[in-house]
Amino acid sequence: AELDRFVVLGIGGSYMGARALFEALRHRWHNELPRAARGGVPRLYFEGNNVDNDTLAQLVGMLPGEGEPNATPEDRWGLTVISKSGGTLETSVAFRLFRRTLEGLYGADSDEARKFVVPITGETGRLRELSKSKGYPAVFPIPDGVGGRFSVLTAVGLLPAAVLGLDLRALLAGAADATDDFFSAEPGANPTLDYTAVAHVAEVEHGMHTRILCTWGNRLEALGLWYDQLLAESLGKHEQGALPLTVVNTRDLHSRGQQHQEGRRDKLVTNLVVERPSEDVLTIPEAPAELDQDELNALAGTPLPTVMDAAIRGTNQAYAEDDRPTADFVVPTLDEYAMGQLFQTLMLATVVEGRLVGTNPYGQPGVEAYKTNMNAILGR
Ligand code: PA5
C-alpha cells in the first residue's frame, strides 16, 4: 500500500503465472486507473524476461530514480526479483538495472532500498548470496523440487498476487479442491484425468500433435501462455511432446481460424470457457432507423455474453461437422478460486501425462544448451 508501482522481474515459469493472475483477475487497464479506482493497489509491470534493450530502457526510464530525492508518495516503487537458480542472465541483468534506479531514488543504504526489494529464490545460488550481502529483510524461498513452471502457487505467484490484493486463500482453496477431485473423482467426472486421456488418445491414436488451448475472451491469454510453457518445457523431450498453442477467440478466428477449420487434421482444440462475466453485462444498443446501415438493430438488446455463446457454439458445430473434435474446460466465473483450479488441474495433467508417456516432466536440460553457448560467446 506504500507503493504506487511494483515491478516483477523474472522469466519463464518464474514470471508467467503471476502475469496470468494479473491479466485474469485485475481490471484490463489497471495501470491506467487512478489510485483510488485501483483500491490503493500498486500499478504492476513485468520485465526481466528478455534482454530487449528498448523495452528495458523504456520501463527503467519511466520509473523515478536518481535526482528525484524528494519522492512524493506517487513516486514510490518497489520490485520483486524471481529466480529459482538465481543465475538466469536475463533476470540478473534486469535486476541490476532496476536496482540501480531504485537505489538512486531512495539511496543505496536506505531502509527503503532494502525493504522495497523482495527476492524470491532457491535456498542457494547467486541471488541468494547477493540478497544476503544486500541485507534484504524479506527473501522468500522457492522450495527445492518445485521447478519454475510448477511454482505459481508458491511465493512466486503468491507475492505478486498479494501485492495485487487478490484473495490468496481462495486461490489455494481452488487448487486444493482440484487436487482432491483428482484423487477422488471417477474418470468421466475427473477434469485432470479426462483432459489427459482425451489429449493422449488424440495424439497417439489420431496424430493430433498440436494442442490448442482456445480461450474465449481476452483475460486468459496469459494463462494460456503459462500453459504453453508448462507443456512444452515439461514434455518436449526425447523427440516427443505435443506442440502447445494458445489462441484467443473470437480474435483468432479471424487469423488462425482458417487453418483450424480446414488445415491438417493434427489439432485437438480444448476450449476454455468462462460462463459468467465479472462486469455488468453490456447489450447491443439500438440506433435510429436511419443509422441502421450496420443492420445491428435486429440484435438490439442482445447481451454480449449471448453473442459470445453463439460464437462458441457456432465454432464447435463447424468443427464437429467436419469431424474435428473439441474438448471443453468450463468455469462458472473467473475468480481466484477458478484460477487455482485451472493452475492445479493443468499442472497435474502435465505430470500424469509425463508418467503415461515415460517422460520426466521436471527439469529442462534442453534449455541449458543456449545458456552455455551464450555465456561462452559473452566470455562469462
Ligand atoms: O519452468 C522453468 O523451470 C523455467 O521456465 C524457469 O522458470 C526459467 O528458466 C527461469 O529460471 P530461474 O527461475 O532459475 O531463473
Side-chain angles (χ1 to χ4, degrees):
E2 288 182 65
L3 302 175
D4 185 65
R5 282 176 268 198
F6 195 72
V7 181
V8 178
L9 301 177
I11 192 168
S14 304
Y15 166 99
M16 274 317 296
R19 181 151 201 148
L21 286 166
F22 178 55
E23 289 193 13
L25 300 178
R26 296 306 305 193
H27 192 290
R28 186 150 180 87
W29 310 114
H30 174 84
N31 287 351
E32 291 170 50
L33 294 174
R35 188 173 176 83
R38 284 185 267 124
V41 168
R43 291 180 266 176
L44 205 71
Y45 300 88
F46 292 87
E47 255 300 350
N49 67 336
N50 211 323
V51 276
D52 184 322
N53 179 76
D54 295 351
T55 57
L56 276 164
Q58 285 163 356
L59 185 56
V60 169
M62 215 173 82
L63 294 165
E66 200 172 353
E68 295 161 276
N70 300 318
T72 66
E74 290 74 42
D75 289 332
R76 293 163 80 82
W77 64 279
L79 65 85
T80 181
V81 51
I82 308 171
S83 176
K84 170 134 193 225
S85 63
T88 300
L89 186 67
E90 291 90 334
T91 308
S92 307
V93 169
F95 182 37
R96 212 175 249 221
L97 286 165
F98 282 88
R99 197 169 74 236
R100 185 176 63 185
T101 304
L102 186 126
E103 290 179 352
L105 176 68
Y106 297 117
D109 288 325
S110 65
D111 284 347
E112 285 98 333
R114 277 189 281 276
K115 183 167 79 166
F116 296 144
V117 172
V118 185
I120 303 175
T121 189
E123 295 296 350
T124 57
R126 293 175 189 158
L127 179 55
R128 174 66 62 175
E129 292 309 310
L130 178 58
S131 302
K132 283 183 197 155
S133 296
K134 295 294 296 181
Y136 294 129
V139 182
F140 289 94
I142 304 177
D144 276 352
V146 181
R149 58 195 174 279
F150 293 98
S151 68
V152 60
L153 299 173
T154 72
V156 170
L158 297 183
L159 178 96
V163 169
L164 288 170
L166 300 179
D167 183 344
L168 305 191
R169 286 180 195 281
L171 180 71
L172 294 175
D177 286 352
T179 305
D180 286 347
D181 283 350
F182 167 58
F183 283 118
S184 59
E186 292 297 316
N190 186 318
T192 298
L193 291 181
D194 295 351
Y195 172 65
T196 309
V198 167
H200 179 69
V201 168
E203 186 176 344
V204 299
E205 294 187 11
H206 302 282
M208 293 178 180
H209 297 285
T210 301
R211 214 166 284 178
I212 297 174
L213 188 66
C214 173
T215 72
W216 291 89
N218 295 327
R219 294 166 66 196
L220 287 173
E221 182 169 19
L223 178 88
L225 296 177
W226 167 83
Y227 179 59
D228 281 0
Q229 132 157 39
L230 177 70
L231 189 63
E233 219 173 4
S234 301
L235 302 184
K237 295 166 185 163
H238 320 302
E239 304 188 1
Q240 287 186 39
L243 173 72
L245 173 68
T246 287
V247 299
V248 177
N249 283 351
T250 66
R251 183 189 78 188
D252 294 344
L253 289 173
H254 298 262
S255 52
R256 296 182 180 276
Q258 164 62 35
Q259 187 178 41
H260 300 168
Q261 183 70 53
E262 295 186 348
R264 277 198 198 99
R265 293 179 181 278
D266 59 354
K267 300 167 194 66
L268 173 70
V269 173
T270 301
N271 295 301
L272 189 45
V273 179
V274 180
E275 285 183 315
R276 280 195 312 279
S278 304
E279 300 286 344
D280 292 345
V281 170
L282 300 172
T283 56
I284 297 177
E286 175 127 32
E290 65 276 17
L291 289 177
D292 190 33
Q293 287 84 355
D294 53 13
E295 298 181 10
L296 283 179
N297 274 355
L299 292 175
T302 307
L304 290 202
T306 304
V307 180
M308 180 64 100
D309 184 55
I312 297 171
R313 289 201 281 146
T315 306
N316 286 338
Q317 183 184 339
Y319 291 151
E321 285 169 356
D322 195 43
D323 295 329
R324 292 172 185 265
T326 55
D328 293 334
F329 275 118
V330 181
V331 294
T333 191
L334 200 47
D335 55 14
E336 286 89 338
Y337 183 83
M339 288 299 285
Q341 285 181 303
L342 288 169
F343 279 131
Q344 187 72 348
T345 300
L346 292 169
M347 287 192 284
L348 286 169
T350 303
V351 173
V352 171
E353 190 175 351
R355 290 280 170 88
L356 208 55
V357 298
T359 296
N360 177 357
Y362 308 111
Q364 53 284 332
V367 177
E368 295 308 313
Y370 102 86
K371 288 188 192 171
T372 308
N373 291 344
M374 179 171 72
N375 282 323
I377 290 165
L378 290 170
R380 191 172 181 233

